Amino acid sequence: MRGPSLAIGLDTRRLPEVEAEVALVPNAHVLLGPTREEILKALPGKRLVHVAGHAEAREDLPMMSALRVADGWMTAQDFAGRRSRALFVLSACRTGDPSLIHRGEALGGFPRALIGAGCSGVVASRWEVRDPVARAFMGYFHGAL
């Protein structure tokens, strides 16, 4: 994948493998422990956005599913108004959980918000994943990409 990439490492104090994981993203601008505003400011023009960290899946309100950022939580809804053609890689637990249903349709959280914002695709986890496993898998993923 050509063009600028953005690698975002969240909650690095509690998830020690996250910093090593974002370092695997080739030619990326890296943000470690950013705030919501820092992330939104860095998004424009990126072809690939890799987010590694902790997520909270909200089955009651999928659009309120959130990523833990430095200044609180960043919801799927925060991405909905943004226009981005990037491929989003969400390396956080349950960011692609099909049990998150919005208006009768599956994948109501992050995938719906990002696709609605015009992204070219979403890679997300349906399950909880241990930090070392996520780092190893993402190493293979970015190597193949």
Side-chain angles (χ1 to χ4, degrees):
M1 174 159 286
R2 298 196 186 276
S5 297
L6 175 63
I8 303 166
L10 306 173
D11 210 12
T12 55
R13 283 183 297 115
R14 287 186 257 203
L15 301 171
E17 297 283 335
V18 163
E19 193 169 343
E21 181 179 327
V22 296
L24 298 170
V25 181
N27 304 315
H29 171 72
V30 176
L31 294 177
L32 293 175
T35 65
R36 179 185 171 278
E37 283 305 312
E38 289 170 333
I39 293 169
L40 294 175
K41 186 177 178 181
L43 285 177
K46 300 302 186 283
R47 303 239 323 132
L48 173 93
V49 177
H50 180 105
V51 181
H54 177 69
E56 182 71 33
R58 292 275 311 264
E59 293 180 23
D60 58 335
L61 292 168
M63 290 301 283
M64 296 306 291
S65 294
L67 298 164
R68 184 181 296 153
V69 296
D71 57 346
W73 293 90
M74 185 170 188
T75 67
Q77 187 67 43
D78 290 330
F79 290 102
R82 305 289 168 170
R83 287 277 156 226
S84 176
R85 298 288 307 141
L87 168 64
F88 275 77
V89 178
L90 302 175
S91 182
C93 295
R94 295 186 61 209
T95 49
D97 190 336
S99 70
L100 302 177
I101 297 173
H102 178 71
R103 297 184 182 166
E105 294 183 36
L107 298 177
F110 284 103
R112 176 176 285 280
L114 293 168
I115 290 170
C119 78
S120 63
V122 179
V123 176
S125 174
R126 293 178 59 186
W127 304 278
E128 293 187 17
V129 181
R130 299 191 59 74
D131 216 21
V133 173
R135 182 192 46 76
F137 178 81
M138 288 302 162
Y140 292 118
F141 175 82
H142 285 291
L145 188 63

